[in-house]
Amino acid sequence: MSNTSIKPAAILTLLAGLVGISLVLYAWRLPPFTSSIETTDNAYVRGAVTMMSPQVSGYVVDVPVKDYQAVEEGQVLARIDDRIFRQKQAQAEAALATQKAALDNSRQQETAAKARIASSEAAVDAADADLEQAVLQSSRQDSLIRSGVATTSAQEQAHATLDRARAAMAQAKAAVEVSRQDLQTIIVNRGSLEAAVANAEAAVELARIDLANTEIRAPRKGTLGEVGVRVGQYVATGTQMMAVVPQEVWIIANFKETQLSGMAVGQPVDIVVDALDRRVLKGKLERFSPATGSEFAVIKADNATGNFVKIAQRVGVRISVDPSDEAAARLAPGMSVVVRIDKGADPA
């Protein structure tokens, strides 16, 4: 009968092998370590950070806020010297008053032109009466001449009077036509005057907008970042002055494409926040990126080479944070988090 003994070194080697195999199986999520939970630490807090910039150029005369100050929507963050813009508005308003006066003058000219037409038409009626009388007088003299009663000079005078009456009638009708053409000219010019008034009104509105833009106001409620502008500094259009960080935040988690199978919108998410002593917040998967992160890169990788190595790409996933947890208000854009999604859970 022989005694078979296992040496301690062999036992340690066997245990080390089992541990190594177990670690490999766990790392690759192979049986018996398969799991429906996918995790990534490539995840960060995001927010709609708004960089405040002026729309007009000038010297800063007031900065009533400080670094990291909470602000309300519409609160003044900085003021630019507005003296030039006030004068431009006054100049535009004066130009508008001039154009309105010209338009009012045109309306008055229209009224006067209509009165001249009425006067000319009355002159036509008077000329018509004179012409009718002259025709009768001329006919009467012609009859008297045939009867041998009137003289030739009276007949010639009657004919001359008739000719003058006819000329006066033609002149009166021409005066009516001239008055009508004058009215039409006034009406045609009215369009250009009205356009000039509209242009002046637009100039006034632009001047008011520029004046209002000398005050940079918070577009929404939030917290300021570092205030990068100082009193007396000259700022141009587009100069970055400060950032407004709103309270609403979300998570962008970048999962490998091999992890996406089974994920669905509405699935619950656990969010581990490093900055909050690894406190776990609750969230929900909102939507997936339409492309991998490499597609949005400025410099894209060139895979058309002979030394190609396949690399699993990452796809961004947007996750909303449950606002009922008071710790959610302490999240700030840029914080790193660890995200766990249970692919086996039913979407909410």
Side-chain angles (χ1 to χ4, degrees):
M1 185 174 181
S2 60
N3 294 327
T4 303
S5 61
I6 300 176
K7 296 181 180 181
I11 295 175
L12 291 176
T13 301
L14 179 60
L15 291 176
L18 291 174
V19 170
I21 294 173
S22 298
L23 289 175
V24 171
L25 294 175
Y26 176 79
W28 287 90
R29 294 293 190 268
L30 296 175
F33 299 105
T34 55
S35 174
S36 62
I37 296 178
E38 293 292 351
T39 303
T40 183
D41 59 358
N42 189 346
Y44 304 91
V45 180
R46 292 287 184 262
V49 180
T50 303
M51 187 61 65
M52 302 304 301
S53 300
Q55 292 182 271
V56 295
S57 301
Y59 287 95
V60 178
V61 295
D62 187 23
V63 184
V65 293
K66 304 297 182 183
D67 298 341
Y68 314 138
Q69 176 181 332
V71 294
E72 299 293 330
E73 181 178 352
Q75 182 174 340
V76 176
L77 306 179
R79 290 186 177 89
I80 296 174
D81 188 358
D82 62 358
R83 291 175 297 174
I84 294 177
F85 299 99
R86 289 187 182 279
Q87 292 305 312
K88 286 184 177 180
Q89 180 178 343
Q91 186 179 32
E93 289 174 346
L96 175 60
T98 300
Q99 296 299 335
K100 285 184 175 180
L103 182 60
D104 291 340
N105 183 55
S106 174
R107 295 193 178 99
Q108 182 61 34
Q109 289 178 352
E110 180 182 359
T111 302
K114 290 179 178 179
R116 285 195 296 271
I117 291 175
S119 176
S120 298
E121 290 175 344
V124 169
D125 293 338
D128 184 61
D130 291 341
L131 177 60
E132 184 177 356
Q133 183 181 5
V135 169
L136 293 176
Q137 183 65 23
S138 177
S139 298
R140 186 179 302 110
Q141 289 298 325
D142 291 340
S143 298
L144 292 174
I145 285 293
R146 286 193 296 270
S147 300
V149 177
T151 63
T152 303
S153 61
Q155 182 187 29
E156 292 175 350
Q157 184 177 1
H159 287 175
T161 302
L162 176 60
D163 291 339
R164 286 195 296 271
R166 287 172 177 168
M169 171 62 78
Q171 184 179 11
K173 289 182 176 179
V176 171
E177 185 62 25
V178 169
S179 298
R180 288 174 178 171
Q181 292 301 322
D182 288 342
L183 176 60
Q184 188 62 29
T185 300
I186 293 171
I187 294 174
V188 170
N189 291 336
R190 178 76 50 75
S192 62
L193 293 175
E194 290 174 345
V197 170
N199 183 64
E201 289 175 342
V204 170
E205 186 61 26
L206 288 173
R208 288 174 180 169
I209 292 173
D210 284 342
L211 180 60
N213 285 335
T214 58
E215 290 186 343
I216 292 84
R217 297 178 177 272
R220 59 190 303 181
K221 181 179 180 180
T223 305
L224 296 180
E226 291 186 8
V227 178
V229 65
R230 300 291 181 266
V231 173
Q233 178 181 348
Y234 182 84
V235 293
T237 302
T239 301
Q240 294 185 353
M241 305 175 72
M242 63 193 77
V244 177
V245 183
Q247 295 178 336
E248 180 186 0
V249 295
W250 60 90
I251 307 296
I252 297 296
N254 299 297
F255 284 95
K256 294 180 180 179
E257 55 187 326
T258 54
Q259 296 177 285
L260 297 179
S261 178
M263 287 189 187
V265 173
Q267 287 178 335
V269 181
D270 288 337
I271 305 166
V272 182
V273 186
D274 297 341
L276 302 180
D277 294 330
R278 302 191 64 79
R279 180 166 178 170
V280 179
L281 303 179
K282 297 298 181 181
K284 184 171 64 176
L285 196 156
E286 280 193 332
R287 48 186 174 270
F288 296 90
S289 170
T292 63
S294 61
E295 290 298 309
F296 299 111
V298 176
I299 301 177
K300 294 181 173 56
D302 184 7
N303 295 328
T305 62
N307 300 322
F308 172 72
V309 177
K310 183 178 180 180
I311 300 175
Q313 300 297 313
R314 291 186 179 269
V315 177
V317 176
R318 176 170 170 139
I319 299 167
S320 62
V321 182
D322 186 358
S324 61
D325 193 329
E326 61 180 11
R330 298 167 58 188
L331 293 177
M335 287 183 175
S336 59
V337 298
V338 178
V339 170
R340 294 195 295 263
I341 297 180
D342 186 0
K343 298 190 297 184
D346 294 330

